[in-house]
Amino acid sequence: MVKDRLAELKSKSKYANHNADEPSQVEAPLSRSQEEIFRNLEKFSQLNAWIQTIRANIAEMRKQIGSSKFHYNDKAFRDRMEDKLKENNHLCQRINSSIKHVESELGDECVRTGVLFRIKNTQFLVIRDDYLSAYREHEELVLYYEHRIMSMMKLEAKAMNYNITDDEALEQLTGNQRSPFAGNLLEETERERQILRDIMTRHSQLEALEKSLMEVRDMFVRISTLVMEQGSLVQVIEYHAQQATLNTDHGAHQLQKAREYQIKTLKKRTCLLIWLSTALAVLLFLVIIF
């Protein structure tokens, strides 16, 4: 680990601020090599601060993942984890670019035996190894985080009688699906609700049919009761109807006999008138003669 001597070196530099109460001291101007050492120290100190930030984020995320309250459907928790992971990725990119830049500068150095080169190279190697170690820790944490979420997904899928493979779990994880089985559960619930609605509809139809049959039964019972109540009246009506038929036939027979009697009477009247007319004619003739 590189000891941070930036503050000490800055205090000895010509740019250091001194209190007004202290007697002014005349500092010798820094050489070009010293200025470059200060610049390298500032650069490596910044890189070291970024690496420490990465490790702090890793420690915090590992603590949260290991907590008993951890659940991948917790939006606030996943947002915090995503923010930390994005911050670490951003810092890793910046550190990687800076390390490549320093490595390029070291490769362009003409004098590789000087003290300045050895100091810079030592700082570079220490920072690079420290960064690689932090990056491996970051990758291990990401793998552990994904494995933990996939394990919880499988447990929830098993509890819901739904089989899920590692590829499906990884796809749902990369798709940032916070409730991957909610859709399946909602589909099953909607399907069961549709079946229940169909059963209730058929039940209502059967109830309506049963009600219609009961109404028909009640109607037949009412008709039977009315027939029983009006039975005697119907019998009287039937008797009078039969008597009316008989009387009609008898009346027709009587009319036929009356017609015959009328014809006979008419014949007798005609004969009588003829005889009377003849008698009157004879009498009148006799009166005229005598």
Side-chain angles (χ1 to χ4, degrees):
M1 186 68 185
V2 180
K3 183 178 180 181
D4 189 1
R5 300 183 59 196
L6 178 61
E8 180 184 354
L9 293 173
K10 279 187 174 182
S11 63
K12 296 180 180 180
S13 69
K14 65 179 181 179
Y15 302 104
N17 296 325
H18 300 282
N19 295 330
D21 298 335
E22 295 179 356
S24 60
Q25 298 178 358
V26 179
E27 298 289 343
L30 296 177
S31 64
R32 181 179 178 183
S33 299
Q34 291 174 332
E35 291 287 347
E36 188 172 355
I37 290 174
F38 288 143
R39 287 195 299 270
N40 291 333
L41 285 174
E42 290 178 359
K43 183 185 299 183
F44 288 123
S45 297
Q46 183 63 52
L47 293 176
N48 183 61
W50 289 346
I51 293 172
Q52 296 305 318
T53 302
I54 292 174
R55 283 202 166 95
N57 291 337
I58 291 173
E60 183 179 355
M61 287 188 290
R62 184 178 286 111
K63 181 179 179 181
Q64 292 180 358
I65 294 173
S67 174
S68 59
K69 298 180 180 180
F70 168 74
H71 195 276
Y72 68 94
N73 281 338
D74 188 350
K75 183 178 184 301
F77 175 80
R78 289 194 67 173
D79 289 341
R80 289 196 301 270
M81 291 294 296
E82 294 297 331
D83 292 340
K84 293 293 183 182
L85 291 175
K86 288 180 180 178
E87 183 181 3
N88 278 6
N89 289 329
H90 179 66
L91 291 176
C92 287
Q93 291 176 1
R94 297 184 66 178
I95 294 172
N96 187 42
S97 299
S98 299
I99 288 177
K100 287 183 177 180
H101 180 69
V102 173
E103 186 177 11
S104 177
E105 290 180 352
L106 290 174
D108 294 338
E109 288 285 345
C110 297
V111 181
R112 296 177 178 269
T113 57
V115 176
L116 182 61
F117 176 82
R118 290 198 299 271
I119 293 174
K120 187 175 182 180
N121 187 59
T122 302
Q123 291 279 4
F124 166 74
L125 294 176
V126 172
I127 288 294
R128 186 189 64 181
D129 293 342
D130 196 19
Y131 161 69
L132 292 176
S133 176
Y135 184 78
R136 283 192 294 269
E137 292 178 8
H138 172 73
E139 288 295 318
E140 290 175 358
L141 177 69
V142 171
L143 292 176
Y144 173 67
Y145 175 61
E146 293 179 351
H147 177 72
R148 183 80 185 277
I149 292 180
M150 290 171 62
S151 299
M152 296 185 71
M153 284 183 177
K154 289 182 179 180
L155 288 176
E156 288 191 358
K158 186 176 181 180
M160 296 179 183
N161 295 324
Y162 180 76
N163 296 324
I164 181 173
T165 62
D166 293 339
D167 295 336
E168 291 175 346
L170 182 60
E171 182 180 357
Q172 292 170 357
L173 176 62
T174 54
N176 198 23
Q177 299 183 15
R178 302 187 186 276
S179 299
F181 308 108
N184 297 325
L185 183 60
L186 290 175
E187 290 178 1
E188 293 178 1
T189 304
E190 184 61 27
R191 184 164 54 251
E192 295 299 329
R193 286 180 178 176
Q194 183 62 38
I195 294 174
L196 179 60
R197 284 194 291 267
D198 295 339
I199 293 174
M200 292 179 66
T201 302
R202 294 182 61 184
H203 179 67
S204 300
Q205 293 175 352
L206 291 175
E207 285 183 342
L209 180 60
E210 181 183 5
K211 184 178 180 181
S212 300
L213 293 175
M214 292 178 66
E215 290 177 354
V216 173
R217 183 202 63 184
D218 295 340
M219 186 181 298
F220 277 109
V221 171
R222 190 177 298 109
I223 292 173
S224 176
T225 304
L226 291 174
V227 169
M228 291 176 62
E229 290 178 353
Q230 304 297 329
S232 58
L233 181 60
V234 171
Q235 291 177 359
V236 172
I237 293 173
E238 183 181 4
Y239 171 75
H240 285 291
Q242 292 176 357
Q243 291 297 321
T245 303
L246 294 175
N247 291 332
T248 301
D249 294 338
H250 183 68
H253 180 67
Q254 293 296 327
L255 288 174
Q256 183 66 28
K257 290 177 67 175
R259 187 177 294 107
E260 291 177 357
Y261 290 151
Q262 184 180 9
I263 293 172
K264 289 180 179 180
T265 303
L266 183 60
K267 288 180 179 180
K268 289 180 180 180
R269 286 180 181 179
T270 303
C271 291
L272 182 59
L273 288 174
I274 292 172
W275 284 106
L276 288 175
S277 299
T278 304
L280 288 174
V282 171
L283 289 175
L284 183 61
F285 180 73
L286 291 175
V287 170
I288 293 172
I289 293 176
F290 296 104

